[in-house]
Amino acid sequence: MVAIITGDIINSQNHTSSEWLGILKNYFSQLGESPMDWEIYRGDEFQLKVPCEEALRVAIHVKALIKSVKNLDVRMGIGLGEETFAGTGVSESNGPAYQRSGKIFDSLREDKLNLTVATGNEHHDGTLNLMLKLALNFMDDWSSVSAEIVALALENPEASQQEIAEKLNIRQSAVSQRQKRARLDLVYDLLNYYAQNIKNMVA
């Protein structure tokens, strides 16, 4: 079982690729090798293969990294399932995970959503996507500062607020305020729910 994340950068036409491409490549290279595990193509689209258990955390991390650049966002469809054919690159491979990812990614513009999941189980999809829809109410509104604080928290899960404050050269109280504004507590709640239930969700 694998998770395939298909995505594109929202509003990329109003930015130079140098503002976000290096950030994305750097993060993807920590997750695997290109082109077997990830590819960026057609300028601002990408596909990424990760373990099912890590898919939502990775997607939210990507969102935080991209939204740390002012006026940018990202649209992603996560498909979970089997990989039945491994091509020379992730974009040439196939299986239910790839088909689900591509199908729901194509539906995102119509549904006016920026993140959704397809597991092959309608009941679990309904529950998880309702939770994501509610979470997007605040995640889509992250400022670049809020997005940066979420990305740092996900990159450094053991770091204290004081350690993050030192990285950013700000006060610990400012880190606390930024994490509250970003609703980091709810992000963690969502990730914990996903981690505890994902093994029972994939058809």
Side-chain angles (χ1 to χ4, degrees):
M1 291 287 186
V2 297
I4 303 301
I5 303 173
T6 304
D8 69 351
I9 308 301
I10 299 170
N11 208 28
S12 63
Q13 68 276 11
N14 295 322
H15 293 257
T16 60
S17 60
S18 61
E19 291 181 75
W20 57 267
L21 187 58
I23 296 169
L24 205 60
K25 282 185 172 180
N26 180 56
Y27 180 53
F28 285 179
S29 66
Q30 296 171 36
L31 301 173
E33 298 291 326
S34 178
M36 287 307 298
D37 299 310
W38 61 270
E39 288 186 73
I40 299 171
Y41 49 89
R42 288 196 293 206
D44 66 351
E45 296 186 18
F46 60 86
Q47 200 158 52
L48 171 68
K49 177 169 69 175
V50 295
C52 290
E53 296 79 17
E54 296 178 19
L56 187 58
R57 180 183 58 80
V58 167
I60 291 175
H61 199 157
V62 169
K63 186 176 183 73
L65 287 169
I66 294 299
K67 282 188 71 67
S68 67
V69 180
K70 196 171 182 181
N71 297 323
L72 280 183
D73 204 342
V74 61
R75 185 184 292 114
M76 289 172 286
I78 306 172
L80 286 76
E82 292 182 346
E83 178 185 66
T84 54
F85 173 74
T88 56
V90 67
S91 63
E92 294 178 17
S93 301
N94 205 349
Y98 294 85
Q99 293 158 14
R100 288 168 187 157
S101 180
K103 187 175 180 182
I104 57 165
F105 174 71
D106 289 341
S107 73
L108 287 174
R109 279 190 183 88
E110 187 180 318
D111 295 339
K112 295 182 179 176
L113 289 171
N114 289 340
L115 180 61
T116 189
V117 176
T119 66
N121 182 309
E122 284 188 21
H123 171 71
H124 290 311
D125 285 356
T127 302
L128 194 51
N129 285 317
L130 176 59
M131 294 174 75
L132 282 177
K133 201 180 219 181
L134 295 169
L136 286 168
N137 263 336
F138 64 84
M139 294 197 297
D140 283 348
D141 288 337
W142 280 337
S143 66
S144 55
V145 169
S146 291
E148 179 187 42
I149 213 78
V150 173
L152 274 172
L154 293 174
E155 285 160 20
N156 304 278
E158 305 301 320
S160 66
Q161 288 183 348
Q162 183 59 41
E163 288 168 330
I164 291 175
E166 288 166 9
K167 277 180 181 284
L168 295 174
N169 199 25
I170 59 176
R171 294 183 178 185
Q172 179 269 326
S173 59
V175 171
S176 177
Q177 288 169 358
R178 291 181 188 187
Q179 289 182 345
K180 283 178 185 172
R181 277 199 298 269
R183 305 307 305 270
L184 186 61
D185 56 335
L186 292 181
V187 172
Y188 284 148
D189 286 346
L190 179 61
L191 290 175
N192 286 337
Y193 174 85
Y194 178 89
Q196 289 165 13
N197 291 278
I198 193 59
K199 286 182 181 174
N200 301 321
M201 288 184 180
V202 185

